[in-house]
Amino acid sequence: MPEQNFSRATWLNSLHMSALTVALLREQGIAACDVLAGSGISEQDLAELQRLVNPEQEQLVFANAVRLAPKPALGLVLGLRTRISAYGLLGYAMLSAPTLGEALRIGLSYPVLLGTYFRLTLEPDGDLTWLVAGGYGEDEALRPFNTELCLGSLKVICADLLGQPLPLRAARLDYPASPGMAKPYARGFGCAVRFAEESSAIGFDTSWLARRLPLADPVTHKEMLEQCRRQNVEFAARRAWLERVRGLLAARLQAPPGLEKLARLMNCSSRSLRRHLAQQQTSYQQLLDELRFTRAKEMLQQGDIPIYRIAEELGFSETASLRHAFQRWSGQPPSHFRG
């Protein structure tokens, strides 16, 4: 299968994983507002599930979860709750594929639709096949959580495809074991787990790749594949367009251009720009807020930049306006994000 190149900066994710994370921590008595703090995602967003969020927002939710519920294998627990129905058209294309091997190859061919933070590959090793999660480029502190989430969800996807659990022969992880991790990992993966390996992966008997899937249907499969192809092309075009909008705004945060001027920079009408942004479940103000919030946090992390300078850099007329904006964005004052 040819490797696809994709940029983290150009994709947006659904709120599905953020909603699952909030639900999981709510069971432990942790309020949704605490899990969402600093992400720019509201409880209303989770109720409506209409918005798309960028990777940084989703990763902030994960970071809050790890901080608020520092239990071993939290990501694995979340991954094992992620069913194939969460992947929409791609999930149906995989379910209707003739074999497990073909279904996995289809899923791995559409990393943007899969919404993964890893580059996934199938690697044969004699009578064993490894489903490898490599190319991680997020916060190193979240590597265990994100890896657990990825491999756990892949285990469930395989079970959903087969209509029965896929017996794993081994699991390997590219980070060292932490105290209390061995038991929940062995229980979650159902096999021996090795740590501090060169890559992270789950391994199973190669013979399973040829196993016929119970929901295989050639007519449905052909239609779903075509829809996935169209959706992938559409997503790529929309995200490239949105990234251009974000780039123009990001370069002008000190003096935001306004919707009309931004439309002229994009060579379109303000009505057309507003409509295209709405199709992406966003708006001019929402994009401006997200970019300002991101830049403000970066500057605060440097530790020694005065608040008034940050306000000037982001186009606020006074520091009070920036403080009010932070409360609106995250429910926290700027000092909460100081390095």
Side-chain angles (χ1 to χ4, degrees):
M1 180 184 65
E3 185 177 283
Q4 291 198 1
N5 294 319
F6 58 100
S7 169
R8 172 191 190 276
T10 60
W11 81 63
L12 296 171
N13 292 332
S14 75
L15 283 166
H16 182 79
M17 291 311 306
S18 296
L20 282 181
T21 304
V22 167
L24 176 61
L25 268 69
R26 185 182 287 124
E27 294 173 7
Q28 303 176 32
I30 299 171
C33 60
D34 293 330
V35 185
L36 297 172
S39 68
I41 302 170
S42 68
E43 293 182 60
Q44 183 177 350
D45 290 331
L46 296 187
E48 297 173 352
L49 290 177
Q50 294 297 313
R51 277 188 63 189
L52 296 177
V53 294
N54 61 46
E56 183 188 49
Q57 291 176 285
E58 188 173 74
Q59 290 298 309
L60 274 168
V61 174
F62 294 164
N64 288 340
V66 171
R67 175 176 53 82
L68 294 166
K71 296 183 177 180
L74 181 67
L76 182 56
V77 173
L78 187 62
L80 293 175
R81 293 188 176 198
T82 308
R83 309 310 298 258
I84 196 169
S85 54
Y87 300 100
L89 290 174
L90 181 62
Y92 288 111
M94 296 172 71
L95 280 167
S96 58
T99 65
L100 176 64
E102 184 60 22
L104 290 176
R105 292 183 186 97
I106 291 166
L108 273 52
S109 295
Y110 294 103
V112 173
L113 300 185
L114 203 58
T116 178
Y117 291 99
F118 296 85
R119 184 170 293 106
L120 303 177
T121 55
L122 279 173
E123 297 183 3
D125 182 13
D127 63 349
L128 188 67
T129 290
W130 292 99
L131 186 45
V132 181
Y136 179 73
E138 303 301 315
D139 182 357
E140 276 301 310
L142 288 175
R143 179 184 287 271
F145 178 92
N146 282 316
T147 304
E148 295 165 5
L149 175 58
C150 177
L151 296 183
S153 62
L154 288 173
K155 182 176 187 291
V156 172
I157 284 174
C158 289
D160 286 345
L161 290 170
L162 291 165
Q164 66 179 90
L166 172 66
L168 298 183
R169 282 178 49 185
R172 67 189 195 215
L173 300 160
D174 63 358
Y175 49 86
S178 297
M181 191 180 282
K183 284 187 178 180
Y185 269 42
R187 183 169 59 250
F189 288 115
C191 64
V193 180
R194 305 196 304 266
F195 294 90
E197 296 287 316
E198 289 187 3
S199 61
S200 296
I202 51 176
F204 52 88
D205 287 336
T206 299
S207 59
W208 280 98
L209 293 176
R211 181 65 65 96
R212 297 284 301 177
L213 299 186
L215 297 181
D217 183 285
V219 176
T220 300
H221 185 57
K222 182 178 180 180
E223 175 62 22
M224 290 299 101
L225 278 180
E226 178 59 23
Q227 290 197 37
C228 281
R229 187 193 65 79
R230 292 175 184 170
Q231 188 178 59
N232 196 54
V233 170
E234 180 183 351
F235 277 16
R238 284 187 178 184
R239 286 163 182 171
W241 180 89
L242 183 59
E243 194 59 23
R244 186 181 169 209
V245 175
R246 288 171 62 87
L248 289 170
L249 268 181
R252 295 165 174 79
L253 290 182
Q254 194 167 20
L259 183 68
E260 294 286 344
K261 185 175 180 180
L262 181 61
R264 289 197 295 272
L265 291 170
M266 290 292 296
N267 297 314
C268 66
S269 68
S270 58
R271 181 179 179 182
S272 178
L273 176 60
R274 190 180 290 110
R275 184 178 70 252
H276 284 307
L277 290 174
Q279 289 173 348
Q280 294 279 58
Q281 288 84 47
T282 189
S283 66
Y284 170 86
Q285 190 59 51
Q286 186 174 310
L287 282 178
L288 180 60
D289 285 346
E290 289 174 0
L291 289 166
R292 280 174 158 174
F293 188 31
T294 298
R295 179 62 181 142
K297 285 185 292 183
E298 290 173 352
M299 296 179 74
L300 286 166
Q301 284 295 311
Q302 296 177 34
D304 57 351
I305 303 177
I307 292 293
Y308 80 88
R309 287 287 300 123
I310 298 176
E312 291 175 356
E313 182 74 17
L314 299 179
F316 289 97
S317 58
E318 54 187 19
T319 58
S321 299
L322 176 61
R323 296 182 192 278
H324 290 319
F326 256 93
Q327 287 295 143
R328 186 177 74 253
W329 295 334
S330 67
Q332 303 285 347
S335 57
H336 178 78
F337 299 89
R338 277 289 186 192

